[in-house]
Amino acid sequence: MFYFILGAAGAAALLFLAVIFIRAARFVPKPQPVPSDKKIRLNEEKIVSDMQEMLRCRTVSYHDSALINQAEFEKFQNLLPELYPGIHKCCERMFLGENGMLYHWKGREAGDPVVLMSHYDVVPAEESQWDKPAFEGILENGVLWGRGTLDTKGTLCGILEAAEQLISDGFVPQHDMYFAFSGQEEINGPSCAAIVDWFENRGIHPAMVLDEGGAVVEQVFPGVSKDCALIGIAEKGLCNIEFHAKSSGGHASMPPVHTIAGELAQAITDVENHPFPRQLTKPVREILDTLGRHSSFAYKLLFANLWCFEGLFDKICQKSGGELNAMLRTTCAVTKMQGGEAFNVIPPTASAGMNLRLMGTDTVESARAYLEQVIHNPGISVTVFEGRNPSPDSDTSCAEWGRLCQAVADTWKDALVAPYLMMACSDSWHYCRITDRVYKFSAMKLSKEERAMIHGNNERVPVKTLVKTVEFYVRLMEHC
């Protein structure tokens, strides 16, 4: 009997190994778009000059409106007709919200339009920490320096340069096309929402919306050596939560058994020791199913057999932290702590602030309730400072998705195109109420170092990267 049981166990193990190895062997790449051989003619000198002029507008957003220099925003708005006379002759420009701009390019036929988005406000720059001035548009050794080169005056320039050239060539899109530019994205202002209201009030449901998001990146997926063009098909939600504790205060020489600072520290430790449960959402399933097929065989064993290795994959992600872990769960980062100001006084109040990025089925309220359950301390109140729920997933089976992927493949011919989950928040979240085809792709090939410059010091873009951005938008507009 013992040998029979041993033999049966061995046979089961061999069968299990056979199944996972066969599944991995059959986990072959899906067809990718075949790149076009068509060449795109571009005026590099004009692109660089126009971008320099945009960078010289200090369109800095602040949550404190008293700090905003509205004259710089008006300077930017007045600059565009000078740089792009063809667009302003052919397209209607509307001002919506506080400083939103919407261009309407009339198409040849009736049909749902395409909306191309960007924003022209930027975050502040601590210029004393920059190697070059942040608002002078300096060109040096083939690189353009300036706040907004990457986020996102670069893509705004790409859209307008592409449209200006196509208009000069006599091109007219098949269906209406809109260019939607907000000047309040960095502070989550109401301008984009006002633009979406304009569409909604007229019953316009875009066939596709494209905003900032993913990029063409290298060494981004385990076991894949090729560049990957990642297009966001959903984005996480945002929730800022505060823990508040109160006490009667008192002299530090006679402390209670547990101070409120200690209780807050324990609550934070409990939160970090109890991460949110994993969720394998559509964007994550699709990126694993797309890029996993291009990975090495060892990784294919994992990605082709998540039916039994999902828990192992989750452990790997938790241990790795960073983007890999954030891909599978709602994350919670402690970003603020406040308490007393004197060493010898027990503070009467103390607080900790956390930034959560919500995903999947998690909502602002469910996340608050989860944290309250985890800390299990009635003496600490858990309140929501602000928040918005995750976006729904966008369609990846429609013709518009195919056209977008084709334009990407035509521009970056060696890159693998794949959907992904965007970790940050964008204005395009607002469009989800009028269409299920909202995509997030910053049309640039960016190194890890360049991605770190977004909102950081010494933000800059190589001219060749900016020119590729224009090329992409030319190809996309021609496909649409």
Side-chain angles (χ1 to χ4, degrees), residues 243 263 266-277 332 354 366-378 380 382:
F243 287 177
E263 291 194 22
Q266 182 61 57
I268 291 168
T269 300
D270 290 339
V271 168
E272 292 187 344
N273 288 338
H274 296 84
F276 281 77
C332 179
M354 299 167 208
S366 71
R368 188 204 65 78
Y370 178 81
L371 294 180
E372 193 171 60
Q373 176 186 352
V374 164
I375 67 171
H376 194 62
N377 186 335
I380 297 177
V382 182

Side-chain angles (χ1 to χ4, degrees), residues 41 86-87 90 105-108 162-174 477-478:
R41 173 186 57 84
I87 291 176
C90 177
W105 190 3
K106 188 69 176 174
R108 301 190 305 272
E164 184 76 5
Q165 177 163 312
L166 287 171
I167 288 171
S168 69
D169 292 340
F171 174 82
V172 179
Q174 181 179 3
M477 291 176 189
E478 288 181 335

Side-chain angles (χ1 to χ4, degrees), residues 204-226:
I204 298 174
H205 301 281
M208 178 174 69
V209 175
L210 181 63
D211 192 17
E212 64 177 319
V216 182
V217 293
E218 58 185 6
Q219 302 295 323
V220 71
F221 193 87
V224 176
S225 58
K226 298 184 71 173

